[in-house]
Amino acid sequence: MKILYLITRPDRAGAQMNALELARAYHKTDEVALGVGGEGFLAEAARQEGIPVHILPNLVRSPNPLADTRCILDVARLLGKGHFSLLHAHSAKAGIVGRLGAKLAGVPSVFTAHGWSFAPNTPAAQKMYALPTEKLAAAVGRHVITVSNVDRDLALRRRICPPSKMTTIYYGFPDNSTRAQPGTPAEEVRVIMVARMEDQKDPATLIRAVQGLRGCRVLFVGDGPNTPRMEALSRELGTTGHVEFLRERSDVLDLLAGSHLFVLATHWEGLPISIQEAMRAGLPVVATDVDGVKEEVIDGETGRLVPHKDPEALRAALLELMGDAELRACMGRAGRARWEQEFSLEAMLAKTDVVYRGGSLGR
Protein backbone atom coordinates (compact mmCIF):
# COMPACT_ATOMS: atom_id res chain seq x y z
CA MET A 1 0.00 0.00 0.00
CA LYS A 2 0.91 3.63 -0.38
CA ILE A 3 -0.87 5.58 2.37
CA LEU A 4 -1.32 9.32 2.84
CA TYR A 5 -2.06 10.34 6.42
CA LEU A 6 -3.89 13.66 6.55
CA ILE A 7 -4.48 15.88 9.60
CA THR A 8 -5.27 19.54 10.09
CA ARG A 9 -2.93 20.74 12.83
CA PRO A 10 0.67 19.74 13.67
CA ASP A 11 0.32 20.08 17.47
CA ARG A 12 1.32 17.46 20.01
CA ALA A 13 -2.13 16.10 20.88
CA GLY A 14 -4.05 12.83 20.83
CA ALA A 15 -5.10 12.78 17.18
CA GLN A 16 -1.62 13.74 16.02
CA MET A 17 0.05 11.09 18.19
CA ASN A 18 -2.33 8.44 16.84
CA ALA A 19 -1.57 9.43 13.24
CA LEU A 20 2.16 9.43 14.00
CA GLU A 21 2.10 5.96 15.56
CA LEU A 22 0.23 4.57 12.55
CA ALA A 23 2.60 6.25 10.10
CA ARG A 24 5.63 4.96 12.00
CA ALA A 25 4.29 1.41 12.00
CA TYR A 26 3.27 1.29 8.33
CA HIS A 27 6.46 3.04 7.27
CA LYS A 28 8.24 -0.23 8.14
CA THR A 29 6.24 -2.31 5.63
CA ASP A 30 4.56 0.09 3.20
CA GLU A 31 5.08 3.51 1.63
CA VAL A 32 3.60 6.38 3.65
CA ALA A 33 3.49 10.18 3.65
CA LEU A 34 1.95 12.88 5.82
CA GLY A 35 -0.21 15.82 4.75
CA VAL A 36 -0.69 18.52 7.39
CA GLY A 37 -1.91 22.11 7.54
CA GLY A 38 1.33 23.64 8.81
CA GLU A 39 4.76 23.19 10.34
CA GLY A 40 5.11 22.05 13.94
CA PHE A 41 5.60 19.04 16.18
CA LEU A 42 3.97 16.44 13.94
CA ALA A 43 5.74 17.51 10.76
CA GLU A 44 9.09 17.49 12.52
CA ALA A 45 8.47 14.10 14.14
CA ALA A 46 7.46 12.56 10.80
CA ARG A 47 10.58 13.87 9.05
CA GLN A 48 12.74 12.41 11.82
CA GLU A 49 11.22 9.01 10.95
CA GLY A 50 12.05 9.51 7.26
CA ILE A 51 8.39 10.05 6.35
CA PRO A 52 7.78 12.59 3.54
CA VAL A 53 5.73 15.59 4.66
CA HIS A 54 3.42 17.72 2.47
CA ILE A 55 2.34 21.09 3.92
CA LEU A 56 -1.16 22.08 2.77
CA PRO A 57 -1.70 25.79 3.56
CA ASN A 58 -5.41 25.62 2.67
CA LEU A 59 -6.01 22.96 5.33
CA VAL A 60 -7.33 25.24 8.07
CA ARG A 61 -9.36 24.39 11.15
CA SER A 62 -12.18 26.96 10.95
CA PRO A 63 -14.85 26.70 8.23
CA ASN A 64 -13.65 28.66 5.20
CA PRO A 65 -15.51 27.88 1.94
CA LEU A 66 -12.76 29.21 -0.34
CA ALA A 67 -9.85 27.57 1.48
CA ASP A 68 -11.83 24.34 1.96
CA THR A 69 -12.62 24.10 -1.75
CA ARG A 70 -9.00 24.71 -2.64
CA CYS A 71 -7.92 22.10 -0.09
CA ILE A 72 -10.23 19.47 -1.57
CA LEU A 73 -8.55 20.06 -4.92
CA ASP A 74 -5.08 20.09 -3.30
CA VAL A 75 -5.74 16.69 -1.71
CA ALA A 76 -7.06 15.24 -4.96
CA ARG A 77 -3.97 16.43 -6.85
CA LEU A 78 -1.60 15.13 -4.16
CA LEU A 79 -3.25 11.71 -4.12
CA GLY A 80 -3.16 11.45 -7.91
CA LYS A 81 0.35 12.77 -8.38
CA GLY A 82 1.72 10.52 -5.64
CA HIS A 83 -0.18 7.43 -6.84
CA PHE A 84 -1.50 6.77 -3.34
CA SER A 85 -3.70 3.73 -2.80
CA LEU A 86 -5.33 4.88 0.46
CA LEU A 87 -6.05 8.10 2.37
CA HIS A 88 -6.35 7.94 6.16
CA ALA A 89 -7.66 11.26 7.49
CA HIS A 90 -7.63 12.34 11.14
CA SER A 91 -9.51 15.22 12.83
CA ALA A 92 -12.77 16.80 11.70
CA LYS A 93 -11.70 19.24 8.99
CA ALA A 94 -9.11 16.92 7.43
CA GLY A 95 -11.76 14.22 7.50
CA ILE A 96 -14.19 16.33 5.47
CA VAL A 97 -11.87 17.79 2.83
CA GLY A 98 -9.74 14.66 2.72
CA ARG A 99 -12.57 12.27 1.94
CA LEU A 100 -14.03 14.61 -0.66
CA GLY A 101 -10.62 15.04 -2.26
CA ALA A 102 -10.08 11.27 -2.24
CA LYS A 103 -13.43 10.79 -3.97
CA LEU A 104 -12.35 13.17 -6.74
CA ALA A 105 -9.08 11.28 -7.11
CA GLY A 106 -10.76 7.87 -7.11
CA VAL A 107 -8.82 6.78 -4.00
CA PRO A 108 -10.48 4.91 -1.10
CA SER A 109 -10.47 6.76 2.21
CA VAL A 110 -10.63 5.94 5.90
CA PHE A 111 -11.43 8.52 8.57
CA THR A 112 -10.66 8.38 12.29
CA ALA A 113 -13.00 10.55 14.37
CA HIS A 114 -11.15 11.72 17.47
CA GLY A 115 -14.40 12.81 19.10
CA TRP A 116 -17.31 14.35 17.20
CA SER A 117 -17.98 18.04 16.64
CA PHE A 118 -21.65 17.30 17.40
CA ALA A 119 -20.98 15.70 20.81
CA PRO A 120 -23.31 16.82 23.65
CA ASN A 121 -21.10 19.56 25.15
CA THR A 122 -19.90 21.09 21.87
CA PRO A 123 -21.16 24.55 20.81
CA ALA A 124 -24.52 24.61 19.02
CA ALA A 125 -23.15 26.39 15.93
CA GLN A 126 -20.47 23.74 15.62
CA LYS A 127 -23.07 20.96 15.71
CA MET A 128 -25.13 22.59 12.96
CA TYR A 129 -22.12 22.59 10.64
CA ALA A 130 -20.77 19.20 11.68
CA LEU A 131 -23.78 16.94 11.19
CA PRO A 132 -24.47 17.50 7.47
CA THR A 133 -20.80 17.62 6.51
CA GLU A 134 -19.97 14.42 8.41
CA LYS A 135 -22.87 12.61 6.72
CA LEU A 136 -21.72 13.81 3.31
CA ALA A 137 -18.11 12.79 3.88
CA ALA A 138 -19.09 9.40 5.32
CA ALA A 139 -21.16 8.71 2.22
CA VAL A 140 -18.12 9.09 -0.06
CA GLY A 141 -15.56 7.48 2.28
CA ARG A 142 -15.00 3.76 2.70
CA HIS A 143 -14.87 3.42 6.49
CA VAL A 144 -15.06 5.41 9.72
CA ILE A 145 -12.98 4.53 12.78
CA THR A 146 -14.15 5.82 16.15
CA VAL A 147 -11.81 5.77 19.13
CA SER A 148 -14.54 4.91 21.65
CA ASN A 149 -17.79 2.98 21.68
CA VAL A 150 -19.53 6.09 23.00
CA ASP A 151 -18.55 7.94 19.83
CA ARG A 152 -19.61 5.01 17.66
CA ASP A 153 -23.02 4.85 19.32
CA LEU A 154 -23.49 8.62 19.01
CA ALA A 155 -22.65 8.51 15.29
CA LEU A 156 -25.09 5.66 14.73
CA ARG A 157 -27.86 7.52 16.55
CA ARG A 158 -27.18 10.53 14.33
CA ARG A 159 -27.18 8.28 11.25
CA ILE A 160 -23.72 9.35 10.13
CA CYS A 161 -23.26 6.03 8.33
CA PRO A 162 -24.42 2.40 8.62
CA PRO A 163 -22.90 0.11 11.30
CA SER A 164 -21.08 -1.90 8.62
CA LYS A 165 -18.98 1.18 7.77
CA MET A 166 -17.93 1.98 11.34
CA THR A 167 -15.45 0.34 13.72
CA THR A 168 -14.17 1.22 17.20
CA ILE A 169 -10.41 0.96 17.55
CA TYR A 170 -8.82 2.15 20.78
CA TYR A 171 -5.60 4.12 20.67
CA GLY A 172 -2.44 2.10 21.09
CA PHE A 173 1.15 3.22 21.53
CA PRO A 174 4.46 1.70 22.61
CA ASP A 175 5.40 1.02 26.19
CA ASN A 176 8.35 2.63 27.95
CA SER A 177 10.15 2.15 31.24
CA THR A 178 9.29 5.55 32.77
CA ARG A 179 7.12 4.99 35.86
CA ALA A 180 5.55 7.18 38.52
CA GLN A 181 5.53 6.35 42.23
CA PRO A 182 2.09 7.70 43.23
CA GLY A 183 2.14 5.94 46.60
CA THR A 184 5.18 7.84 47.83
CA PRO A 185 4.15 9.84 50.93
CA ALA A 186 4.54 13.56 50.31
CA GLU A 187 3.78 16.77 52.17
CA GLU A 188 2.95 18.28 48.78
CA VAL A 189 1.12 16.00 46.33
CA ARG A 190 1.97 16.79 42.71
CA VAL A 191 -1.11 16.93 40.47
CA ILE A 192 -0.56 17.12 36.71
CA MET A 193 -2.89 17.91 33.80
CA VAL A 194 -1.54 17.50 30.27
CA ALA A 195 -3.78 19.19 27.69
CA ARG A 196 -3.86 21.96 25.14
CA MET A 197 -5.25 25.22 26.49
CA GLU A 198 -8.21 25.45 24.13
CA ASP A 199 -11.99 25.51 24.40
CA GLN A 200 -12.37 21.73 24.50
CA LYS A 201 -10.47 21.47 27.78
CA ASP A 202 -11.65 22.79 31.14
CA PRO A 203 -8.63 23.82 33.23
CA ALA A 204 -10.78 26.47 34.91
CA THR A 205 -12.65 23.80 36.86
CA LEU A 206 -9.38 22.38 38.22
CA ILE A 207 -8.14 25.86 39.16
CA ARG A 208 -11.39 26.50 41.04
CA ALA A 209 -11.23 23.07 42.68
CA VAL A 210 -7.83 23.77 44.26
CA GLN A 211 -8.62 27.30 45.44
CA GLY A 212 -7.49 27.43 49.07
CA LEU A 213 -6.46 23.77 48.99
CA ARG A 214 -3.27 23.02 50.90
CA GLY A 215 -0.85 20.20 50.35
CA CYS A 216 -0.85 20.04 46.56
CA ARG A 217 0.98 21.54 43.60
CA VAL A 218 -0.81 21.59 40.24
CA LEU A 219 1.16 21.48 36.99
CA PHE A 220 -0.57 22.43 33.73
CA VAL A 221 1.41 21.09 30.78
CA GLY A 222 0.36 22.36 27.36
CA ASP A 223 -0.20 25.68 25.65
CA GLY A 224 -2.88 27.28 23.53
CA PRO A 225 -5.06 30.35 23.05
CA ASN A 226 -6.61 30.11 26.52
CA THR A 227 -3.34 30.07 28.49
CA PRO A 228 -3.37 33.84 29.32
CA ARG A 229 -6.99 33.63 30.48
CA MET A 230 -6.27 30.65 32.74
CA GLU A 231 -3.22 32.40 34.21
CA ALA A 232 -5.41 35.43 34.91
CA LEU A 233 -8.03 33.22 36.59
CA SER A 234 -5.34 31.66 38.78
CA ARG A 235 -4.19 35.11 39.88
CA GLU A 236 -7.78 36.19 40.51
CA LEU A 237 -8.50 33.15 42.70
CA GLY A 238 -5.19 33.38 44.55
CA THR A 239 -3.87 29.98 43.44
CA THR A 240 -0.59 31.14 41.90
CA GLY A 241 1.35 29.83 44.90
CA HIS A 242 0.54 26.22 44.07
CA VAL A 243 -0.52 26.28 40.39
CA GLU A 244 2.10 26.37 37.62
CA PHE A 245 1.64 26.79 33.86
CA LEU A 246 4.54 25.01 32.18
CA ARG A 247 3.23 25.49 28.61
CA GLU A 248 4.70 23.13 25.98
CA ARG A 249 7.29 20.69 27.29
CA SER A 250 9.38 17.98 25.69
CA ASP A 251 9.82 16.08 28.97
CA VAL A 252 6.18 15.07 29.53
CA LEU A 253 7.11 11.49 30.44
CA ASP A 254 9.47 12.69 33.16
CA LEU A 255 6.86 15.13 34.48
CA LEU A 256 4.31 12.31 34.69
CA ALA A 257 6.85 10.12 36.47
CA GLY A 258 7.45 12.88 39.01
CA SER A 259 3.74 13.30 39.82
CA HIS A 260 1.36 11.56 42.21
CA LEU A 261 -1.96 12.12 40.44
CA PHE A 262 -3.23 12.91 36.94
CA VAL A 263 -6.29 15.08 36.26
CA LEU A 264 -8.16 15.76 33.03
CA ALA A 265 -10.92 18.34 33.33
CA THR A 266 -12.62 18.61 29.94
CA HIS A 267 -15.86 19.44 28.16
CA TRP A 268 -15.87 16.68 25.55
CA GLU A 269 -13.54 13.92 24.38
CA GLY A 270 -13.16 10.99 22.07
CA LEU A 271 -10.68 8.81 23.93
CA PRO A 272 -8.06 11.10 25.47
CA ILE A 273 -4.55 9.83 24.89
CA SER A 274 -3.30 11.90 27.83
CA ILE A 275 -5.20 9.59 30.20
CA GLN A 276 -3.61 6.55 28.57
CA GLU A 277 -0.15 8.08 28.98
CA ALA A 278 -0.90 8.62 32.66
CA MET A 279 -2.14 5.04 33.07
CA ARG A 280 0.94 3.72 31.26
CA ALA A 281 3.08 5.62 33.79
CA GLY A 282 1.11 4.06 36.66
CA LEU A 283 -0.73 7.18 37.83
CA PRO A 284 -4.26 7.24 39.27
CA VAL A 285 -6.57 9.43 37.17
CA VAL A 286 -9.32 11.86 38.13
CA ALA A 287 -11.28 12.92 35.06
CA THR A 288 -14.52 14.49 33.89
CA ASP A 289 -17.13 11.83 33.10
CA VAL A 290 -17.80 12.75 29.45
CA ASP A 291 -17.97 10.75 26.23
CA GLY A 292 -15.29 8.02 25.96
CA VAL A 293 -13.48 8.80 29.22
CA LYS A 294 -15.38 6.08 31.10
CA GLU A 295 -13.94 3.52 28.68
CA GLU A 296 -10.50 4.35 30.07
CA VAL A 297 -11.05 5.25 33.72
CA ILE A 298 -12.88 2.71 35.90
CA ASP A 299 -14.39 4.75 38.72
CA GLY A 300 -13.17 3.52 42.11
CA GLU A 301 -10.65 1.13 40.52
CA THR A 302 -8.19 3.09 38.38
CA GLY A 303 -9.24 6.56 39.54
CA ARG A 304 -12.29 8.75 39.96
CA LEU A 305 -14.84 10.12 37.49
CA VAL A 306 -16.46 13.44 38.37
CA PRO A 307 -19.39 15.35 36.84
CA HIS A 308 -18.85 17.93 34.11
CA LYS A 309 -17.95 21.46 35.33
CA ASP A 310 -18.23 20.54 39.03
CA PRO A 311 -15.31 22.02 41.02
CA GLU A 312 -16.65 20.72 44.34
CA ALA A 313 -16.82 17.12 43.10
CA LEU A 314 -13.33 17.43 41.64
CA ARG A 315 -12.06 18.90 44.90
CA ALA A 316 -13.55 15.99 46.88
CA ALA A 317 -11.86 13.45 44.59
CA LEU A 318 -8.54 15.27 44.93
CA LEU A 319 -8.82 15.37 48.71
CA GLU A 320 -9.57 11.65 48.85
CA LEU A 321 -6.48 10.74 46.86
CA MET A 322 -4.22 13.38 48.34
CA GLY A 323 -4.91 11.97 51.78
CA ASP A 324 -4.38 8.29 50.96
CA ALA A 325 -1.02 7.28 49.50
CA GLU A 326 -1.91 3.59 49.46
CA LEU A 327 -5.10 4.29 47.51
CA ARG A 328 -3.07 6.26 44.95
CA ALA A 329 -0.65 3.35 44.62
CA CYS A 330 -3.44 0.79 44.26
CA MET A 331 -5.30 2.81 41.61
CA GLY A 332 -2.05 3.49 39.78
CA ARG A 333 -1.27 -0.24 39.58
CA ALA A 334 -4.80 -1.00 38.37
CA GLY A 335 -4.55 1.71 35.71
CA ARG A 336 -1.23 0.35 34.50
CA ALA A 337 -2.71 -3.16 34.24
CA ARG A 338 -5.70 -1.84 32.32
CA TRP A 339 -3.41 -0.03 29.89
CA GLU A 340 -1.46 -3.23 29.24
CA GLN A 341 -4.67 -5.18 28.59
CA GLU A 342 -6.70 -2.72 26.49
CA PHE A 343 -4.45 -0.15 24.82
CA SER A 344 -1.47 -1.91 23.25
CA LEU A 345 0.02 -0.80 19.96
CA GLU A 346 -0.20 -4.35 18.59
CA ALA A 347 -3.99 -4.55 19.09
CA MET A 348 -4.52 -1.18 17.39
CA LEU A 349 -2.42 -2.13 14.38
CA ALA A 350 -4.09 -5.51 13.92
CA LYS A 351 -7.56 -3.97 13.86
CA THR A 352 -6.47 -1.07 11.65
CA ASP A 353 -4.99 -3.46 9.12
CA VAL A 354 -8.35 -5.21 8.72
CA VAL A 355 -9.95 -1.85 7.89
CA TYR A 356 -7.15 -0.91 5.49
CA ARG A 357 -7.59 -4.16 3.60
CA GLY A 358 -11.28 -3.42 3.10
CA GLY A 359 -12.68 -5.47 5.96
CA SER A 360 -15.00 -4.52 8.82
CA LEU A 361 -14.72 -5.43 12.49
CA GLY A 362 -18.15 -4.13 13.42
CA ARG A 363 -18.15 -2.92 16.99
Side-chain angles (χ1 to χ4, degrees):
M1 290 186 294
K2 186 172 183 181
I3 310 165
L4 176 65
Y5 291 93
L6 185 71
I7 194 163
T8 311
R9 297 190 300 176
D11 314 314
R12 189 191 187 281
Q16 287 78 6
M17 294 304 297
N18 181 234
L20 181 60
E21 291 299 346
L22 288 168
R24 279 172 173 162
Y26 279 91
H27 184 49
K28 297 174 183 177
T29 57
D30 297 87
E31 193 172 349
V32 304
L34 171 71
V36 64
E39 295 287 354
F41 162 79
L42 183 59
E44 294 168 7
R47 290 190 184 104
Q48 289 175 5
E49 299 286 337
I51 296 170
V53 175
H54 302 275
I55 303 299
L56 303 173
N58 290 311
L59 183 51
V60 294
R61 187 183 187 192
S62 299
N64 184 321
L66 181 58
D68 295 346
T69 301
R70 287 174 174 169
C71 192
I72 291 168
L73 297 175
D74 290 343
V75 171
R77 282 192 290 266
L78 177 57
L79 289 168
K81 185 178 179 181
H83 302 290
F84 288 93
S85 54
L86 180 69
L87 171 77
H88 189 165
H90 296 254
S91 74
K93 175 57 78 67
I96 302 298
V97 298
R99 283 176 286 178
L100 293 174
K103 179 67 174 178
L104 284 178
V107 174
S109 61
V110 172
F111 168 58
T112 295
H114 299 271
W116 293 110
S117 297
F118 50 83
N121 295 319
T122 54
Q126 191 169 297
K127 294 178 188 178
M128 291 178 62
Y129 169 81
L131 272 170
T133 54
E134 289 292 355
K135 289 181 179 181
L136 171 63
V140 302
R142 188 170 77 185
H143 208 84
V144 174
I145 296 171
T146 57
V147 297
S148 71
N149 287 320
V150 167
D151 276 351
R152 182 178 187 274
D153 293 343
L154 175 61
L156 291 176
R157 288 198 305 273
R158 295 290 191 170
R159 301 181 183 277
I160 297 300
C161 65
S164 60
K165 290 183 67 173
M166 193 176 301
T167 299
T168 296
I169 302 178
Y170 288 151
Y171 291 140
F173 50 96
D175 199 1
N176 64 60
S177 59
T178 307
R179 297 286 183 275
Q181 300 296 326
T184 304
E187 293 185 4
E188 187 176 70
V189 172
R190 291 168 65 89
V191 177
I192 186 169
M193 176 168 161
V194 181
R196 275 188 55 79
M197 289 284 175
E198 57 188 10
D199 291 345
Q200 179 185 0
K201 310 302 180 183
D202 186 23
T205 291
L206 177 54
I207 295 170
R208 293 188 172 96
V210 300
Q211 184 181 16
L213 192 61
R214 296 181 179 179
C216 74
R217 176 162 295 277
V218 178
L219 305 179
F220 285 105
V221 181
D223 205 356
N226 292 341
T227 300
R229 186 157 57 88
M230 292 302 104
E231 291 174 331
L233 177 64
S234 180
R235 290 192 296 269
E236 177 187 334
L237 297 181
T239 65
T240 53
H242 60 288
V243 171
E244 295 183 50
F245 295 86
L246 303 185
R247 298 181 179 256
E248 289 294 333
R249 295 286 291 258
S250 60
D251 58 344
V252 174
L253 296 181
D254 292 333
L255 291 169
L256 288 170
S259 300
H260 299 92
L261 176 60
F262 182 87
V263 172
L264 182 64
T266 183
H267 297 301
W268 72 88
E269 291 291 339
L271 197 80
I273 201 169
S274 61
I275 286 179
Q276 289 186 28
E277 289 179 332
M279 293 166 63
R280 181 179 64 179
L283 284 173
V285 176
V286 177
T288 311
D289 188 6
V290 294
D291 307 320
V293 171
K294 63 173 63 69
E295 294 176 46
E296 294 177 316
V297 180
I298 308 301
D299 189 40
E301 181 179 328
T302 67
R304 288 294 185 193
L305 294 173
V306 298
H308 177 234
K309 293 184 70 173
D310 191 335
E312 291 305 317
L314 179 53
R315 183 185 181 93
L318 291 174
L319 283 169
E320 177 189 26
L321 284 160
M322 286 169 55
D324 193 334
E326 180 53 36
L327 179 61
R328 294 197 303 269
C330 182
M331 286 183 167
R333 288 192 296 270
R336 168 68 195 185
R338 180 164 174 74
W339 181 83
E340 291 175 351
Q341 181 179 356
E342 297 290 343
F343 307 114
S344 72
L345 178 63
E346 292 73 19
M348 179 184 75
L349 293 176
K351 293 177 180 179
T352 301
D353 201 59
V354 173
V355 173
Y356 280 4
R357 307 295 172 181
S360 173
L361 297 168
R363 193 179 183 88

